[in-house]
Amino acid sequence: MQDALEKLVRALLPVEEEPGLYVGRPAETGWGRIYGGELIAQAAAAASSTVREDRPLRSMHSYFLKPGSLGHPVQYRVETLREGLEISHRRVEAIQ
């Protein structure tokens, strides 16, 4: 059970390649395309890694313009829109 949990966590955490740029590898689901929840989880993880730990995710909106391909990694570009006293705003663009 621990191996399955570790595998899931590794799949949902994108790797930071440079500041503001993260790469996630799609999990092989057998569906022939990337599961949307996986993309949302990776985007949230990328955005969360750019803010202080005391600022949890409160709201997220997403749009899926095209289906993702399992054969290619997904790049997440995180842009800081606003860094307020209590709230941080980020924009994450997933590109394949």
Side-chain angles (χ1 to χ4, degrees), residues 1-86:
M1 183 65 150
Q2 188 66 22
D3 287 341
L5 180 59
E6 288 175 11
K7 185 177 178 182
L8 175 63
V9 169
R10 275 196 311 271
L12 296 181
L13 293 177
V15 176
E16 184 176 19
E17 290 205 334
E18 59 185 63
L21 180 63
Y22 298 80
V23 175
R25 300 253 176 229
E28 185 62 52
T29 60
W31 297 334
R33 60 183 177 196
I34 300 173
Y35 174 60
E38 180 182 1
L39 290 173
I40 290 172
Q42 289 180 348
S48 294
S49 69
T50 67
V51 299
R52 296 188 332 231
E53 287 186 21
D54 64 337
R55 294 189 177 196
L57 181 66
R58 293 186 180 174
S59 177
M60 188 169 182
H61 307 275
S62 59
Y63 301 95
F64 297 97
L65 303 179
K66 294 181 180 180
S69 170
L70 289 174
H72 304 287
V74 180
Q75 289 186 339
Y76 297 93
R77 292 191 183 145
V78 180
E79 177 185 359
T80 299
L81 299 179
R82 181 171 181 256
E83 194 66 47
L85 295 175
E86 296 181 20

